[in-house]
Amino acid sequence: MSSDKIIIAIDGYSSSGKSTMARRLAKTIGYRYIDSGAMYRAVTLYAMRHALINPDGTVDAPRLETALPEISIDFKVDGDGQQTLLNGEIVENEIRTLEVSNHVSPVAAIPAVRHALVKMQRAMGETKGIVMDGRDIGTVVFPHAEMKVFCNATPERRAERRFKELTEKGATVTYEEVLANVMQRDHIDMTREESPLRCADDAVMLDNSAMTIDEQNDWLLNLYRSITGKKD
Ligand code: DC
């Protein structure tokens, strides 16, 4: 069966707006959208619930590694959005808390966790027609993706967006806490040994600090059209 569908990899810093525009592009062009960060968050939630995070914030990596075969992650399309399922339970809200954000980077730095999730992500892309966002999608998961974007914005701008998102959901956090979390995650994501966050050589860079969501969406759709020659 021949298909002219492609793989679209959108990487970048935390809260750089990549998920919003990736989800929108997928909807516009009829592709499946996968938020790979949600998968790392779901594993983190599992670890928190099973006391695999030590009191000092480090992760009990050997025990988490042993538990990996018991963790299943799925996505369910729900209207305009998407729900993340952890072992069949919808955990979309639970995985977005600041507590999960505070523990996710050390979990995502564990090689066995990355190998397991990368394997699942590659399986999801087998039939193409997918937009996946994350940190290592264009470098590790799909190094041959036909379209790659690397997104960035200033830490302050990203913290502002994340703070707005969290407080709109009723969370009681301060802007300073969110900024500290954004900067700490940048540091861990960029300096970890296994698949550190970096821009693929063949990715198109986008700094969206001064862009509105509509401007980002248009920019991404135009890039897709110029790569595929399609008008949809
Ligand atoms: O995109 P996000 O903020 O929801 O991602 C949560 C964490 O997961 C982030 O701190 C880094 C990690 N992550 C990763 O290491 N690789 C990915 N492909 C996606 C996310």
Side-chain angles (χ1 to χ4, degrees):
M1 194 186 76
S2 83
S3 158
D4 57 357
K5 292 196 165 173
I6 65 167
I7 291 184
I8 301 174
I10 304 193
D11 289 302
Y13 288 84
S14 62
S15 304
S16 60
K18 59 190 186 314
S19 301
T20 309
M21 70 180 196
R23 187 179 297 117
R24 168 58 72 90
L25 177 70
K27 187 163 192 265
T28 307
I29 64 177
Y31 275 27
R32 183 164 188 219
Y33 166 66
I34 300 291
D35 171 1
S36 70
M39 300 170 75
Y40 289 93
R41 287 173 178 273
V43 174
T44 305
L45 181 66
Y46 179 97
M48 285 162 56
R49 286 177 169 180
H50 291 79
L52 302 178
I53 309 276
N54 300 315
D56 65 357
T58 56
V59 186
D60 187 336
R63 279 179 61 217
L64 180 56
E65 196 171 330
T66 309
L68 282 173
E70 282 151 40
I71 304 178
S72 91
I73 299 165
D74 239 309
F75 294 102
K76 191 175 117 188
V77 178
D78 174 27
D80 259 6
Q82 181 167 274
Q83 307 267 25
T84 308
L85 291 113
L86 170 62
N87 290 340
E89 175 196 347
I90 294 176
V91 291
E92 192 54 41
N93 291 335
E94 290 83 347
I95 62 169
R96 305 292 167 193
T97 60
L98 195 56
E99 210 191 342
V100 168
S101 298
N102 281 334
H103 293 303
V104 67
S105 284
V107 169
I110 299 170
V113 170
R114 303 205 70 83
H115 293 164
L117 295 189
V118 167
K119 200 169 159 203
M120 288 172 62
Q121 290 153 5
R122 287 190 178 142
M124 292 168 178
E126 240 161 37
T127 50
K128 299 207 173 192
I130 194 168
V131 181
M132 191 176 289
D133 77 31
R135 304 291 190 289
D136 60 343
I137 310 306
T139 50
V140 175
V141 182
F142 299 122
H144 303 298
E146 291 84 351
M147 172 168 159
K148 295 183 188 179
V149 174
F150 190 86
C151 240
N152 198 7
T154 62
E156 291 75 16
R157 188 77 188 90
R158 290 185 283 127
E160 236 171 70
R161 291 176 183 150
R162 188 93 188 99
F163 175 68
K164 189 163 171 276
E165 217 175 272
L166 285 166
T167 48
E168 274 172 8
K169 281 188 193 156
T172 43
V173 285
T174 63
Y175 168 77
E176 287 70 26
E177 278 174 315
V178 177
L179 178 62
N181 174 261
V182 161
M183 293 176 72
Q184 192 206 10
R185 280 204 286 154
D186 283 359
H187 179 73
I188 302 178
D189 293 347
M190 286 187 297
T191 54
R192 71 177 172 225
E193 240 165 69
E194 184 80 21
S195 318
L197 171 66
R198 69 170 184 85
C199 178
D201 295 338
D202 51 352
V204 182
M205 300 256 273
L206 171 71
D207 184 323
N208 59 27
S209 304
M211 282 168 107
T212 64
I213 289 177
D214 283 345
E215 284 168 346
Q216 289 178 61
N217 290 338
D218 289 348
W219 180 89
L220 195 64
L221 185 59
N222 284 334
L223 182 66
Y224 164 79
R225 286 175 172 159
S226 74
I227 287 174
T228 60
K230 286 187 186 294
K231 292 275 168 282
D232 53 354

